[in-house]
Amino acid sequence: MKKQLLLIILAGLAATLLSGCWNRAELPEKGFVMGVAIDKTKGNKYKLTTQIYKPAQKTSTQGGGSTLSYVIIETEDETLFEAVRDITIQVGRRAQWAHMRVILLGEDVARKEDIGSVLEYFYRDHEARLTTKVQVTRGKAGGYLKVKPKIEQTVSQQLNRIQQAVARNAGKTADINLLSLAHYLRSEVPNVAIPLASRAKGSSSSIPIAGAAMIKEGKMVGSLNGKQMESLTILTNQYRKGVLQFLSVPSENEQRRGFENIEVEKVRTNWKLAVKGGAIHAVLKVKVTGNIGTLKYTKLETREDELKLRREVQQSVKDQLHEIISLLQKKGIDLLGLGNRIYREKPQLWKKWKPDWERRFAESTFDIQVSVDLKSTLTTVGKSFQTK
């Protein structure tokens, strides 16, 4: 009996200790941030544009219209931390970062500031999720959050979805978030390609994301377009699906040439490194699997036609890959992760080479071997649909 009484008393004490939250914050005290844009003013202050979701979702108004589901708050201060705290002055709520979809860095910030230092607040704050997407914008970033979304509730969610979809289905950009960005910036060679958003002049709703800002040791040093990013993602084995373009093979009777397309299902790239004459020689084996997407200029009626087509596709892919490698070597920016591979595979060699890696990267040689597996032409006819 005494033992049962003791257990009841202990259970009661435990219940009093476990009930409630010591640091709870009620919903009306929070402003849920969907996206944030970071710029610099002429006075060299940080300008923070924050998109905060409204507690009540779209409500109908007269005439069948609807109010926006978010508000835009702009703050300025000497430090990003103070600019964040100043949000409370305007909305009477503390910014809550757990639902943030995207962080936009204006081009001026990306070129002049170390982006790792700029984003330090979000790495230290316990609410910000490391899965939050990061993008660089052409021009000022603040105006991007004022664009009306095409489909999603907020443009922050729209930008989040676009980046993810383009990286997964087109290979024209990279899918970078706070976690992967920190991994790149803290690696032995702190270079990374961050998705680049742009706005067409006069457009109030279109924000395409294709290409990337090239970040070297924390700062933007240039940009890549969508086609160049396709090649880069193939080389780094991040290409998933998309469309590759190649120049057609002319037949004996017809000399017309034009661009054809392959619908890519899968790409696999394997690297092998060797040291030759004090420089790295990399052998890359690239396997492309897909189907013919268009067949306007090329006939595919015999086995020989098919072999010619494969050779043309292989050479086209090979040329594109060599082109992006040459560009990166000329600019002295290792976005291929070559230096980090040497660090992992040959750590003793890396200790000697790290101080002058930019020069050694420019002197590296690459042997690219491409194989193409075309499953079908997506039709029962091996020639242009319009050809009789």
Side-chain angles (χ1 to χ4, degrees):
M1 188 70 178
K2 289 182 178 179
K3 188 176 181 180
Q4 290 178 342
L5 181 61
L6 180 62
L7 288 173
I8 292 171
I9 293 171
L10 290 174
L13 289 172
T16 59
L17 293 173
L18 296 175
S19 61
C21 296
W22 66 272
N23 65 340
R24 75 176 188 270
E26 301 295 340
L27 286 178
E29 297 175 11
K30 298 179 179 181
F32 293 95
V33 176
M34 299 301 293
V36 64
I38 304 171
D39 292 304
K40 288 301 270 305
T41 67
K42 290 182 179 179
N44 206 34
K45 290 184 177 181
Y46 283 102
K47 181 177 181 180
L48 199 66
T49 305
T50 311
Q51 188 174 69
I52 298 179
Y53 202 74
K54 282 186 179 180
Q57 208 170 341
K58 287 187 176 181
T59 55
S60 297
T61 58
Q62 291 182 352
S66 59
T67 59
L68 293 175
S69 58
Y70 57 86
V71 292
I72 298 294
I73 305 299
E74 295 180 336
T75 55
E76 289 182 20
D77 220 304
E78 300 289 345
T79 66
L80 195 64
F81 193 94
E82 284 296 327
V84 168
R85 288 304 175 96
D86 287 346
I87 294 173
T88 306
I89 297 173
Q90 297 193 37
V91 295
R93 298 185 179 214
R94 182 176 63 84
Q96 212 276 355
W97 306 99
H99 299 276
M100 183 167 55
R101 295 293 184 262
V102 67
I103 298 173
L104 303 179
L105 297 170
E107 190 172 357
D108 57 342
V109 173
R111 288 188 180 276
K112 297 175 183 177
E113 304 283 329
D114 184 296
I115 62 173
S117 299
V118 173
L119 296 173
E120 185 174 358
Y121 170 81
F122 300 103
Y123 284 115
R124 290 185 178 278
D125 191 272
H126 68 282
E127 291 177 348
R129 296 185 181 183
L130 294 178
T131 54
T132 302
K133 307 293 186 189
V134 180
Q135 298 169 12
V136 173
T137 66
R138 289 286 190 193
K140 297 291 185 181
Y144 285 71
L145 292 184
K146 299 174 184 178
V147 172
K148 292 183 180 179
K150 287 181 177 292
I151 296 177
E152 307 297 336
Q153 290 286 334
T154 65
V155 72
S156 298
Q157 178 67 357
Q158 187 83 56
L159 291 169
N160 178 295
R161 289 293 186 90
I162 292 174
Q163 176 180 317
Q164 186 176 341
V166 172
R168 181 185 298 169
N169 300 314
K172 292 181 182 292
T173 196
D175 195 9
I176 298 293
N177 55 34
L178 282 173
L179 180 61
S180 59
L181 180 59
H183 172 76
Y184 284 113
L185 294 179
R186 293 179 63 84
S187 66
E188 290 294 300
V189 183
N191 302 334
V192 59
I194 298 180
L196 186 62
S198 58
R199 289 177 64 189
K201 273 191 175 182
S203 175
S204 60
S205 61
S206 180
I207 306 179
I209 298 176
M214 295 190 293
I215 306 298
K216 182 179 180 181
E217 297 179 352
K219 295 183 180 181
M220 181 177 175
V221 295
S223 62
L224 299 173
N225 60 36
K227 293 295 292 181
Q228 291 169 330
M229 275 304 297
E230 282 183 334
S231 299
L232 181 61
T233 52
I234 289 174
L235 289 168
T236 54
N237 202 31
Q238 297 178 51
Y239 193 97
R240 296 296 172 259
K241 291 187 292 185
V243 176
L244 292 180
Q245 189 173 269
F246 65 96
L247 199 58
S248 65
V249 182
S251 63
E252 294 180 3
N253 299 326
E254 295 185 54
Q255 295 302 315
R256 292 187 312 149
R257 299 194 75 180
F259 286 105
E260 311 280 33
N261 295 296
I262 293 177
E263 181 188 33
V264 179
E265 291 184 356
K266 185 170 62 175
V267 176
R268 288 290 178 269
T269 303
N270 293 313
W271 286 65
K272 266 192 175 181
L273 303 182
V275 180
K276 290 186 178 180
I280 280 291
H281 178 71
V283 178
L284 287 77
K285 293 185 178 180
V286 181
K287 183 175 181 180
V288 180
T289 305
N291 306 295
I292 295 293
T294 60
L295 204 63
K296 186 176 180 182
Y297 300 95
T298 306
K299 287 185 179 180
L300 197 58
E301 297 175 328
T302 66
R303 177 63 177 168
E304 185 59 30
D305 290 340
E306 184 180 345
L307 291 174
K308 284 182 180 179
L309 178 64
R310 288 178 189 273
R311 286 195 294 267
E312 191 69 25
V313 174
Q314 289 168 0
Q315 189 60 48
S316 179
V317 172
K318 189 175 179 179
D319 290 344
Q320 290 177 38
L321 299 184
H322 273 299
E323 187 178 332
I324 186 65
I325 289 174
S326 177
L327 174 66
L328 296 178
Q329 288 183 306
K330 190 179 295 183
K331 289 185 174 293
I333 177 169
D334 177 12
L335 294 178
L336 304 176
L338 182 57
N340 290 323
R341 284 178 182 274
I342 298 171
Y343 168 70
R344 293 192 300 268
E345 297 178 18
K346 306 175 187 294
Q348 294 304 317
L349 180 64
W350 177 248
K351 285 183 180 179
K352 298 178 183 178
W353 284 11
K354 183 177 179 180
D356 65 338
W357 174 240
E358 187 174 320
R359 177 184 65 82
R360 292 187 180 275
F361 173 66
E363 294 175 353
S364 300
T365 57
F366 298 84
D367 177 15
I368 301 175
Q369 302 169 12
V370 181
S371 62
V372 177
D373 180 13
L374 298 178
K375 291 185 174 181
S376 72
T377 63
L378 295 179
T379 179
T380 56
V381 182
K383 56 185 178 181
S384 171
F385 181 75
Q386 294 181 342
T387 303
K388 294 183 180 179

